[in-house]
Amino acid sequence: EADIYQTPRYLVIGTGKKITLECSQTMGHDKMYWYQQDPGMELHLIHYSYGVNSTEKGDLSSESTVSRIRTEHFPLTLESARPSHTSQYLCATRGGETQYFGPGTRLLVL
Amino acid sequence: KQEVTQIPAALSVPEGENLVLNCSFTDSAIYNLQWFRQDPGKGLTSLLLIQSSQREQTSGRLNASLDKSSGRSTLYIAASQPGDSATYLCAVEDGDKLIFGTGTRLQVFP
């Protein structure tokens, strides 16, 4: 089973602040993903990576950016948070044909 | 564009009942289909993965079937328990990405 960690788990922040959501994994998986999930809605892929120095935009347009400098880490950054960014953000890795998910970060932008 | 639909959106049943959750998808050219469980405020846990060449997969009290030609999958839960209460999500793999349905919120009461 993959170990995937996301910090913070909950974040309340004011409009205009820069934030970084951390995602780390200990399984050495190359493929990593970020999903956004609004309450009661489906997950939407916003970013993914096939390995170090690889990042791609997902199906849902997002103002966030990601980086993949190390295999273990796949942080997501919002340069200027807005209330429309309020959502749950889920990080995942892929091992074989299965995706493994972290516990998520619930973000509230006031 | 692939679309995934889950019916019903919510289900409340007494303990011990057998139940069926439905998932349909519009494009039958899928690589595989996965069923996930999501507990409130948490990430997703993979339950079953069905390859496109397979018809069903079983794990304990769970059985998932796949009919690619009709664009349907069902998740059968036998002898439901209160601990089964969660949201169940199906996702089809399109290329290297998962496309999720909106889920079925299941409540099993004692």
Side-chain angles (χ1 to χ4, degrees), chain B residues 19 31 48 61 80 85:
Chain B
L19 45 97
Y31 184 64
L48 290 164
R61 293 182 294 107
S80 58
S85 299

Side-chain angles (χ1 to χ4, degrees), chain A residues 31 37 42 50 94 97, chain B residues 31 49 51 93 96 102:
Chain A
K31 295 177 182 175
Q37 184 183 31
E42 63 264 45
Y50 288 140
R94 182 184 173 119
E97 295 188 322
Chain B
Y31 184 64
L49 182 150
Q51 304 264 13
E93 182 159 353
D96 205 16
T102 51

